Amino acid sequence: MSSAGAQGSCAPVRAPQATLEFNHKDPMLDRHRSVRWLNSRAGGGSKYVVAGLTEYEMQASFDMRIEPREVGLGRYCLDPVRVNPKVNVVKHLVYIASELERGSCEYNAVYAHEGEHVKVNRGMEADIRAALDDLVNDVVGKVGAMFPMPAENVQSAIRRLLSEYGRDFKRRLRDIDRRRREEQRRIDTPEEYQRLSLSCGPNSAFQTVLQQAVR
C-alpha cells in the first residue's frame, strides 16, 4: 500500500460477522398458583389482593472480536471481524390465581390486566432489537473509520474498544429495562387495583373468595 493509502481511514477489506441474536419466548400461562402464593411472590404489603402476576427475565451477552491488519509503513488498521450481541428471553410467565375460574368475569379482568404487562414486555423487545442493531452498525462504522495506527498502539486500542462497546451494550439494555419497569409501574396503580376490585360487582370473588384465601 502506498504511504498515502496507509494514512487513510481503515475501511474493512471483508464484511464482518455482525449480527444480533435475539431468542424470543412467548408468554406462558400458569393457573396453578394460589392467590396467597401470588401475594407472597409480589412481595406483599399491598392493600389490594394480587390475583395475577407477570414475570419476565432475560440473559444477555456481547461477543466482539477485533483483529489488527497491517496496511504498510508499520501501521495497522483494526477490523471488527465479529460483533454479536445476544439476548435470550429465559422467562415470560403470566400467573392467574388458581381460585379464579377460567371464563369468569374476575378471570377475564385479571387476564386483561396482565395482558397490558405483556404488551410492555413485547414493546421492550422491539426496543432492544432496534438499539442493538444500531450498536452493531455503530461498531462497524466507527471502527472502520479509524485511521491506521502504529503497532505499539494496537493492543491498547483493541482493549479500549472492547471495554467501551461492552459498557455501551450494558447501558443500552439497562436504559431500556428501566423504561420498561417505569411503564409496568404505571399499570399497577392504586386506581387500577380499585377498578379491578369493582369491575365484577360488589360481591365478586375480588371481595369474597380472594380476600378470604389470602388471609
Side-chain angles (χ1 to χ4, degrees), residues 67-80:
E67 291 183 352
R69 170 170 49 91
E70 188 174 7
V71 293
L73 301 179
R75 301 182 75 82
Y76 291 80
C77 286
L78 302 181
D79 290 339

Side-chain angles (χ1 to χ4, degrees), residues 2 7 13 15 21 26 31 45 47 62 72 88 90 106 118-119 155-156 164 166 175 188-189 196 207 212-213:
S2 68
Q7 297 300 318
V13 295
E21 185 176 346
D26 288 327
R31 299 186 57 241
K47 70 178 193 175
F62 183 62
N88 287 323
V90 296
E106 295 87 346
V118 169
K119 287 180 185 177
Q155 291 305 316
S156 61
E164 286 180 0
D175 289 347
D188 286 334
T189 62
L196 279 175
Q207 288 85 30
Q212 296 164 7

Side-chain angles (χ1 to χ4, degrees), residues 10-215:
C10 290
V13 295
R14 68 174 187 263
Q17 178 189 340
T19 56
L20 162 64
E21 185 176 346
F22 193 106
N23 295 314
H24 172 78
K25 184 184 286 291
D26 288 327
M28 297 180 62
L29 179 63
D30 187 335
R31 299 186 57 241
H32 300 95
R33 307 292 184 172
S34 69
V35 67
R36 180 187 291 272
W37 185 91
L38 290 177
N39 279 264
S40 174
R41 187 78 164 181
S46 173
K47 70 178 193 175
Y48 296 103
V49 174
V50 176
L53 193 64
T54 297
E55 293 186 343
Y56 186 92
E57 181 181 341
M58 64 183 182
Q59 296 174 344
S61 62
F62 183 62
D63 181 25
M64 181 175 172
R65 181 181 172 191
I66 298 175
E67 291 183 352
R69 170 170 49 91
E70 188 174 7
V71 293
L73 301 179
R75 301 182 75 82
Y76 291 80
C77 286
L78 302 181
D79 290 339
V81 297
R82 184 172 63 244
V83 186
N84 181 217
K86 183 177 181 180
V87 177
N88 287 323
V89 179
V90 296
K91 178 191 288 187
H92 200 178
L93 282 174
V94 176
Y95 300 100
I96 296 182
S98 58
E99 289 86 355
L100 296 182
E101 181 180 352
R102 185 190 292 269
S104 66
C105 175
E106 295 87 346
Y107 177 96
N108 291 338
V110 173
Y111 188 89
H113 173 87
E114 297 307 317
E116 295 303 308
H117 289 297
V118 169
K119 287 180 185 177
V120 170
N121 292 336
R122 285 177 167 163
M124 180 198 67
E125 292 179 353
D127 291 343
I128 288 175
R129 290 177 189 271
L132 296 188
D133 276 337
D134 179 66
L135 173 61
V136 168
N137 293 332
D138 191 48
V139 171
V140 174
K142 288 187 176 179
V143 175
M146 294 175 66
F147 289 102
M149 65 187 66
E152 59 267 24
N153 293 348
V154 166
Q155 291 305 316
S156 61
I158 290 175
R159 288 193 297 269
R160 176 179 58 80
L161 289 168
L162 293 177
S163 176
E164 286 180 0
Y165 281 111
R167 290 197 303 271
D168 190 15
F169 171 72
K170 293 178 181 177
R171 178 190 59 78
R172 291 176 189 238
L173 290 181
R174 188 169 56 247
D175 289 347
I176 291 171
D177 190 54
R178 186 188 68 250
R179 293 196 297 270
R180 178 185 73 92
R181 293 177 184 276
E182 290 172 353
E183 288 186 48
Q184 299 289 28
R185 283 194 292 270
R186 286 196 286 269
I187 295 172
D188 286 334
T189 62
E191 292 77 15
E192 170 64 5
Y193 279 116
Q194 176 71 4
R195 185 195 68 78
L196 279 175
S197 70
L198 300 175
S199 61
C200 296
N203 296 310
S204 72
F206 291 125
Q207 288 85 30
T208 56
V209 173
L210 298 185
Q211 293 285 348
Q212 296 164 7
V214 80
R215 293 193 182 104

